[in-house]
Amino acid sequence: ATTFFSHSHAKAMTTQLLNNKWIVKDHTEASAAAGPIVISDTNMRHSIMITGCRGVVVQISGKVNSIQVDGCERVGVVFHDVISTAELVNCNRMEMQCTGKVPAVSVDKSSGLQLYLTTECAATIEIVHSLSDDLNVLVPDGEEMKEMPIPCQFVSKLNGARLVTNPMSHV
């Protein structure tokens, strides 16, 4: 376990493995000066919980069961493989990069996500989002990355006895 102390937030910054859960908690720009937070001793039973972090990068090696990011701002999360879901809740101005595969990403009550995917991951991923805005998916397109916004405004119309909902288009 690694613990730092931040005088600006008066909270202990922690990176530790408890049973099968990695906890990355309350890291700030102060700990970012030492470089990214690297979690390399992982296995498929491990879940990763990143909470209360500001202005840091977390790198996760190997294949893990799940990743949950809660209450973070300006945090980058780079990971290889996730078996179930990578989840963001109550986050702002985030970047996530999958260098392998993840079947699903869930985004709830968050704003400003840049989600970088491999071509392989983009072909199979499911992105579920609610109460979130400014979400973008970036996938390789030759030498460049193609940016695709996820709609956050929808139009619903009654079609007889059926409700039809489509993304809002601005033409």
Side-chain angles (χ1 to χ4, degrees):
T2 305
T3 303
F4 298 93
F5 188 75
S6 168
H7 294 287
S8 63
H9 289 334
K11 293 181 183 178
M13 297 181 273
T14 305
T15 300
Q16 65 182 344
L17 178 61
L18 296 173
N19 297 320
N20 283 326
K21 181 181 274 192
W22 277 98
I23 308 288
V24 179
K25 184 175 178 184
D26 295 325
H27 283 270
T28 64
E29 292 87 353
S31 63
I37 299 160
V38 178
I39 301 173
S40 57
D41 185 17
T42 62
N43 67 52
M44 294 186 301
R45 292 183 311 256
H46 288 169
S47 62
I48 314 291
M49 173 65 168
I50 304 166
T51 182
C53 294
R54 306 275 180 271
V56 296
V57 173
V58 180
Q59 293 178 340
I60 303 161
S61 301
K63 184 184 277 192
V64 297
N65 188 313
S66 64
I67 299 172
Q68 183 179 18
V69 185
D70 188 4
C72 294
E73 187 171 334
R74 296 182 329 275
V75 171
V77 180
V78 181
F79 59 91
H80 190 66
D81 289 321
V82 175
I83 295 170
S84 62
T85 304
E87 178 181 5
L88 273 82
V89 180
N90 298 316
C91 293
N92 291 306
R93 299 187 329 219
M94 300 289 298
E95 290 189 355
M96 283 190 110
Q97 180 179 3
C98 176
T99 60
K101 288 184 81 174
V102 59
V105 171
S106 173
V107 184
D108 190 28
K109 296 183 234 166
S110 296
S111 180
L113 168 65
Q114 299 288 99
L115 178 61
Y116 296 86
L117 303 173
T118 62
T119 303
E120 179 184 30
C121 184
T124 59
I125 192 167
E126 180 175 85
I127 302 168
V128 178
H129 58 96
S130 66
L131 304 173
S132 299
D133 64 2
D134 195 18
L135 309 177
N136 294 297
V137 177
L138 294 97
V139 295
D141 185 22
E143 297 290 317
E144 305 282 320
M145 293 296 282
K146 180 179 179 182
E147 184 174 0
M148 296 174 281
I150 295 176
C152 64
Q153 286 187 318
F154 299 89
V155 176
S156 296
K157 295 181 181 181
L158 282 172
N159 184 357
R162 192 171 163 194
L163 184 66
V164 178
T165 302
N166 291 303
M168 176 81 166
S169 65
H170 301 280
V171 181

